[in-house]
Amino acid sequence: MQRRVNLWTSIDWLTVVIYLTMVLLGWINIYAAVYNEDHQSIFDFSQRYGKQLIWISAAFVLAIIVFIIDIRFYSYFAYVIYGIMIFMLLAVLLLGTEVHGAKSWFEIGSFRIQPAEFTKIATALVIARYLSSYNVQINTLKAYIRVAAIILLPSLLILLQNDTGSALVYFAFIIVLYREGVSENFLLLGLFVAILFILALVFEKITVIVISIGVAFVVFGVINRKFKNVGFALLIFSLFTGILYILNEILQLQFSSYYIVLIALGISSAIYVYLAFKHKLKNVFVLLVFLYAAIVFTFSVDYVFNNFLEPHQQKRINVVLGLESDPYGVEYNVNQSKIAIGSGGFTGKGFLNGTQTKFNFVPEQSTDFIFCTIGEEWGFIGTFFVVSLFIFFLYRLVGLAERQRSVFSRIYGYGVISVFLFHIVINVGMTIGLVPVIGIPLPFFSYGGSSLWAFTILLFIFLRLDASRLELLR
């Protein structure tokens, strides 16, 4: 049974006001970031701030169009929209224009558009469509494989465009899966892999292997709640490790620590698997599989790091981890960004008075590094206000998602939240040097038509679904 509602009275006007506030603040700060005394009018269409006004006007039109479309369109045509966007990602690889080393743009005259930005919308829609289907059980191998394919396909195609930042955004959809009931063990596994990757870059491999073995012992104890078995396993491993070290010295075999630890682990694993079968201990085999997988992963990190990442990406990660210093290279943007934000102090230097901004010390200041303009000219007060506005915006979206009566709408809502959260955290984090620079825009603030339009469409589809939440029950 459906219930008709008045869209214009049912829309969440508070979210709309937040959206308009962010778009307005973004436009003002773009004006400040690229201010030109010879073109002082903010309506000068030859300048970026003038062009941004055109993108903003078009975004408002798109918001209205998206909002008046029937809600069933977004569910029924989710796979079609996704298919079109995958085709666009393939097409841009062949016909696209390369910008800053990434072949991610279609260029028609002076107009450029980036399909990767809009594919996030399609991916959120198709995840919502698939997971809201009646016959789908999320905690099954079949569902895992299909959802992984939905997320990884656009991500890999974008990676081929050499746009690593946009490709990484798609992994934020794991938040959606967690909300819909995927075990927290998958999140913990993902966190462990990320930590293992960092440790393998920072420390010697033998140290990482020993840490992995220690974690395995702890997890085994927690799962089985029999710490005496953990102690016995540790004793077996330690005993064989000691014996092998002694034999290595006496016989002068010159085995490295890697081989000694791995051989000891192999022998003790075989013994403990036998004892586990004999005494019916649970999860031993599964835990050993994950342990050996972690060890293999540890040794593969260098290969992946050196062969799959571009040199500038490697440097950015090394700089963040403190393994390398490059103040006049990859560190330059971040250092200048931190100087700009720090120089703003508590109240800022004032509108159009940012010296770092005026002398163009921060590259890409109107796009990826727009946040440092806020910090320099508006100070701690300004950055605190903007961050608080983003937090309230995300909090409001969570509230909207949770009040949905339709499973499709709720899942899509969390898809929207995931994309915005990733962009906000990573963009702000990279401008203050907490995460590597991966080149993704700050929603509604960064200059650019593609990102502004995509974020607007992403948000207003959800607001449309929310306005009609009483019409749909599935």
PDB file of all heavy atoms in Angstrom, residues 342-358:
ATOM      1  N   GLY A 342      48.465  26.833  10.252  1.00  0.00           N
ATOM      2  CA  GLY A 342      49.053  27.283  11.520  1.00  0.00           C
ATOM      3  C   GLY A 342      49.141  28.785  11.622  1.00  0.00           C
ATOM      4  O   GLY A 342      48.956  29.356  12.707  1.00  0.00           O
ATOM      5  N   SER A 343      49.421  29.444  10.501  1.00  0.00           N
ATOM      6  CA  SER A 343      49.582  30.907  10.534  1.00  0.00           C
ATOM      7  C   SER A 343      48.264  31.623  10.783  1.00  0.00           C
ATOM      8  O   SER A 343      48.244  32.800  11.141  1.00  0.00           O
ATOM      9  CB  SER A 343      50.191  31.400   9.215  1.00  0.00           C
ATOM     10  OG  SER A 343      49.291  31.204   8.134  1.00  0.00           O
ATOM     11  N   GLY A 344      47.153  30.907  10.595  1.00  0.00           N
ATOM     12  CA  GLY A 344      45.848  31.520  10.821  1.00  0.00           C
ATOM     13  C   GLY A 344      45.557  31.778  12.287  1.00  0.00           C
ATOM     14  O   GLY A 344      44.710  32.622  12.621  1.00  0.00           O
ATOM     15  N   GLY A 345      46.258  31.037  13.159  1.00  0.00           N
ATOM     16  CA  GLY A 345      46.042  31.243  14.592  1.00  0.00           C
ATOM     17  C   GLY A 345      44.623  30.935  15.015  1.00  0.00           C
ATOM     18  O   GLY A 345      43.952  30.069  14.446  1.00  0.00           O
ATOM     19  N   PHE A 346      44.148  31.669  16.019  1.00  0.00           N
ATOM     20  CA  PHE A 346      42.823  31.393  16.577  1.00  0.00           C
ATOM     21  C   PHE A 346      41.711  32.035  15.749  1.00  0.00           C
ATOM     22  O   PHE A 346      40.680  31.413  15.489  1.00  0.00           O
ATOM     23  CB  PHE A 346      42.747  31.907  18.024  1.00  0.00           C
ATOM     24  CG  PHE A 346      41.483  31.516  18.728  1.00  0.00           C
ATOM     25  CD1 PHE A 346      41.271  30.218  19.156  1.00  0.00           C
ATOM     26  CD2 PHE A 346      40.483  32.457  18.956  1.00  0.00           C
ATOM     27  CE1 PHE A 346      40.100  29.850  19.794  1.00  0.00           C
ATOM     28  CE2 PHE A 346      39.302  32.107  19.598  1.00  0.00           C
ATOM     29  CZ  PHE A 346      39.109  30.792  20.020  1.00  0.00           C
ATOM     30  N   THR A 347      41.914  33.257  15.313  1.00  0.00           N
ATOM     31  CA  THR A 347      40.846  33.974  14.605  1.00  0.00           C
ATOM     32  C   THR A 347      41.099  34.133  13.108  1.00  0.00           C
ATOM     33  O   THR A 347      40.215  34.567  12.375  1.00  0.00           O
ATOM     34  CB  THR A 347      40.645  35.374  15.218  1.00  0.00           C
ATOM     35  OG1 THR A 347      41.880  36.099  15.139  1.00  0.00           O
ATOM     36  CG2 THR A 347      40.210  35.268  16.671  1.00  0.00           C
ATOM     37  N   GLY A 348      42.312  33.790  12.642  1.00  0.00           N
ATOM     38  CA  GLY A 348      42.614  33.918  11.227  1.00  0.00           C
ATOM     39  C   GLY A 348      43.125  35.292  10.836  1.00  0.00           C
ATOM     40  O   GLY A 348      43.044  36.256  11.606  1.00  0.00           O
ATOM     41  N   LYS A 349      43.632  35.387   9.620  1.00  0.00           N
ATOM     42  CA  LYS A 349      44.184  36.649   9.125  1.00  0.00           C
ATOM     43  C   LYS A 349      43.128  37.557   8.515  1.00  0.00           C
ATOM     44  O   LYS A 349      43.396  38.707   8.195  1.00  0.00           O
ATOM     45  CB  LYS A 349      45.265  36.370   8.076  1.00  0.00           C
ATOM     46  CG  LYS A 349      46.484  35.636   8.633  1.00  0.00           C
ATOM     47  CD  LYS A 349      47.482  35.339   7.529  1.00  0.00           C
ATOM     48  CE  LYS A 349      48.710  34.620   8.083  1.00  0.00           C
ATOM     49  NZ  LYS A 349      49.668  34.260   7.014  1.00  0.00           N
ATOM     50  N   GLY A 350      41.949  37.009   8.327  1.00  0.00           N
ATOM     51  CA  GLY A 350      40.883  37.814   7.739  1.00  0.00           C
ATOM     52  C   GLY A 350      40.654  37.468   6.273  1.00  0.00           C
ATOM     53  O   GLY A 350      41.552  36.988   5.573  1.00  0.00           O
ATOM     54  N   PHE A 351      39.441  37.711   5.809  1.00  0.00           N
ATOM     55  CA  PHE A 351      39.048  37.390   4.444  1.00  0.00           C
ATOM     56  C   PHE A 351      39.924  38.127   3.439  1.00  0.00           C
ATOM     57  O   PHE A 351      40.112  39.345   3.527  1.00  0.00           O
ATOM     58  CB  PHE A 351      37.582  37.756   4.251  1.00  0.00           C
ATOM     59  CG  PHE A 351      37.022  37.359   2.917  1.00  0.00           C
ATOM     60  CD1 PHE A 351      37.107  36.050   2.470  1.00  0.00           C
ATOM     61  CD2 PHE A 351      36.406  38.297   2.114  1.00  0.00           C
ATOM     62  CE1 PHE A 351      36.575  35.686   1.233  1.00  0.00           C
ATOM     63  CE2 PHE A 351      35.869  37.945   0.879  1.00  0.00           C
ATOM     64  CZ  PHE A 351      35.966  36.636   0.442  1.00  0.00           C
ATOM     65  N   LEU A 352      40.528  37.365   2.518  1.00  0.00           N
ATOM     66  CA  LEU A 352      41.403  37.850   1.446  1.00  0.00           C
ATOM     67  C   LEU A 352      42.750  38.354   1.952  1.00  0.00           C
ATOM     68  O   LEU A 352      43.487  39.007   1.212  1.00  0.00           O
ATOM     69  CB  LEU A 352      40.721  38.973   0.634  1.00  0.00           C
ATOM     70  CG  LEU A 352      39.424  38.619  -0.088  1.00  0.00           C
ATOM     71  CD1 LEU A 352      38.908  39.825  -0.864  1.00  0.00           C
ATOM     72  CD2 LEU A 352      39.594  37.431  -1.006  1.00  0.00           C
ATOM     73  N   ASN A 353      43.084  38.040   3.206  1.00  0.00           N
ATOM     74  CA  ASN A 353      44.356  38.499   3.767  1.00  0.00           C
ATOM     75  C   ASN A 353      45.356  37.362   3.989  1.00  0.00           C
ATOM     76  O   ASN A 353      46.366  37.572   4.663  1.00  0.00           O
ATOM     77  CB  ASN A 353      44.111  39.227   5.106  1.00  0.00           C
ATOM     78  CG  ASN A 353      43.404  40.543   4.914  1.00  0.00           C
ATOM     79  OD1 ASN A 353      43.647  41.251   3.939  1.00  0.00           O
ATOM     80  ND2 ASN A 353      42.508  40.879   5.836  1.00  0.00           N
ATOM     81  N   GLY A 354      45.088  36.192   3.449  1.00  0.00           N
ATOM     82  CA  GLY A 354      46.003  35.071   3.632  1.00  0.00           C
ATOM     83  C   GLY A 354      47.246  35.221   2.766  1.00  0.00           C
ATOM     84  O   GLY A 354      47.155  35.245   1.535  1.00  0.00           O
ATOM     85  N   THR A 355      48.407  35.325   3.392  1.00  0.00           N
ATOM     86  CA  THR A 355      49.648  35.523   2.629  1.00  0.00           C
ATOM     87  C   THR A 355      50.062  34.255   1.885  1.00  0.00           C
ATOM     88  O   THR A 355      50.561  34.326   0.763  1.00  0.00           O
ATOM     89  CB  THR A 355      50.781  35.966   3.569  1.00  0.00           C
ATOM     90  OG1 THR A 355      50.885  35.039   4.660  1.00  0.00           O
ATOM     91  CG2 THR A 355      50.509  37.348   4.123  1.00  0.00           C
ATOM     92  N   GLN A 356      49.900  33.105   2.500  1.00  0.00           N
ATOM     93  CA  GLN A 356      50.216  31.855   1.804  1.00  0.00           C
ATOM     94  C   GLN A 356      49.348  31.716   0.559  1.00  0.00           C
ATOM     95  O   GLN A 356      49.794  31.262  -0.494  1.00  0.00           O
ATOM     96  CB  GLN A 356      49.973  30.656   2.726  1.00  0.00           C
ATOM     97  CG  GLN A 356      50.927  30.545   3.904  1.00  0.00           C
ATOM     98  CD  GLN A 356      52.328  30.173   3.460  1.00  0.00           C
ATOM     99  OE1 GLN A 356      53.251  30.980   3.559  1.00  0.00           O
ATOM    100  NE2 GLN A 356      52.500  28.975   2.969  1.00  0.00           N
ATOM    101  N   THR A 357      48.104  32.141   0.701  1.00  0.00           N
ATOM    102  CA  THR A 357      47.167  32.077  -0.417  1.00  0.00           C
ATOM    103  C   THR A 357      47.535  33.084  -1.502  1.00  0.00           C
ATOM    104  O   THR A 357      47.598  32.748  -2.688  1.00  0.00           O
ATOM    105  CB  THR A 357      45.735  32.356   0.085  1.00  0.00           C
ATOM    106  OG1 THR A 357      45.363  31.342   1.013  1.00  0.00           O
ATOM    107  CG2 THR A 357      44.747  32.375  -1.069  1.00  0.00           C
ATOM    108  N   LYS A 358      47.788  34.314  -1.087  1.00  0.00           N
ATOM    109  CA  LYS A 358      48.032  35.373  -2.076  1.00  0.00           C
ATOM    110  C   LYS A 358      49.284  35.136  -2.912  1.00  0.00           C
ATOM    111  O   LYS A 358      49.353  35.520  -4.071  1.00  0.00           O
ATOM    112  CB  LYS A 358      48.154  36.727  -1.360  1.00  0.00           C
ATOM    113  CG  LYS A 358      46.874  37.162  -0.690  1.00  0.00           C
ATOM    114  CD  LYS A 358      45.758  37.318  -1.720  1.00  0.00           C
ATOM    115  CE  LYS A 358      44.390  37.342  -1.074  1.00  0.00           C
ATOM    116  NZ  LYS A 358      43.991  36.067  -0.505  1.00  0.00           N
TER     117      LYS A 358
END
